[in-house]
Amino acid sequence: IEAPVDGFAAFVAELHQQDLQGLNVTSPFKTEAFDLSESLSERATFAAAVNTLIRTETGWQGDNTDGIGLIDDLHAVLDDELSDMHILILGAGGSVQGIVPALLEQQPASIHIANRTADKATALAEQYQLETITGSGLSHKFSQMYDILINATAAGIADDLPKLEHTPLISSCCYDLFYAAKPTAFLQWGKQQFGNKIKFSDGLGMLVRQAAASYELWRETYISDELIDTVLQELRPQLVD
């Protein structure tokens, strides 16, 4: 259901009157969903963004399943734990706010956030008050080896590339939060840079896994890995077609 950009709160209030039990919220409404929530989960509070609204009698409870969706998909792609890994994230918007707390729970060795506006990345990193998370602009000269590179820049919405001045060194995985019928511009760039030495994935798996986590919150029904795999197998050919 497409919501009006300048009338999201009223739109959601009307859906509440229609007895909808829950909503999955996408960009650019995650901050507004956070603001209108009557109560918030701990992970939504940390993220300051809501992608899942759960009906209450008087309004909405806000939650955020983006992070767990990404973590579950990275585990599936890498077949490995994320602890002790070095992670580089491009972008510092609402999606990044949603995934950073979940990534930190995995106890990675480090997280670096690089954004077009350096101050925004630095402020996001500093709010956690941890030595393991830092921020910079996209012009940063990446001197260390990272295990995982995650693209969450606004450029990805238009299937464009982030404006990196220096190519980072990546050892395990190049991951794009966005997805399309064909490989995204970011993944095409990654394959040119890193060849077949690492793994590549778009965000379709994250989309399905965060949706499964949201469904569990709405219906208190466990979604099995087998069902998630079946959904992904059915969706991927449709996108390609």
Side-chain angles (χ1 to χ4, degrees), residues 77-97:
V77 171
L78 293 170
D79 193 26
D80 198 1
E81 298 300 317
L82 305 184
S83 58
D84 300 324
M85 288 193 175
H86 297 276
I87 301 171
L88 173 59
I89 303 173
L90 306 181
S95 295
V96 177
Q97 291 174 236

Side-chain angles (χ1 to χ4, degrees), residues 33-120:
F34 176 86
D35 292 337
L36 63 81
S37 296
E38 289 187 345
S39 60
L40 295 162
S41 69
E42 184 176 354
R43 56 192 177 189
T45 301
F46 272 119
V50 161
N51 84 321
T52 303
L53 291 172
I54 305 160
R55 181 188 175 83
T56 67
E57 288 189 6
T58 56
W60 300 100
Q61 176 188 352
D63 208 326
N64 194 308
T65 62
D66 281 336
I68 192 62
L70 174 63
I71 298 303
D72 287 349
D73 201 43
L74 283 174
H75 284 158
V77 171
L78 293 170
D79 193 26
D80 198 1
E81 298 300 317
L82 305 184
S83 58
D84 300 324
M85 288 193 175
H86 297 276
I87 301 171
L88 173 59
I89 303 173
L90 306 181
S95 295
V96 177
Q97 291 174 236
I99 66 175
V100 166
L103 287 169
L104 286 172
E105 287 182 357
Q106 305 302 304
Q107 298 183 324
S110 71
I111 296 176
H112 185 84
I113 303 169
N115 189 56
R116 182 178 59 84
T117 306
D119 289 348
K120 189 173 183 180

Side-chain angles (χ1 to χ4, degrees), residues 149-152 156 174-179 184-187 201-203:
L149 172 62
I150 299 173
N151 177 44
C174 189
Y175 192 100
D176 197 345
L177 292 193
F178 303 94
Y179 61 92
T184 64
F186 179 75
L187 292 183
S201 180
D202 65 12

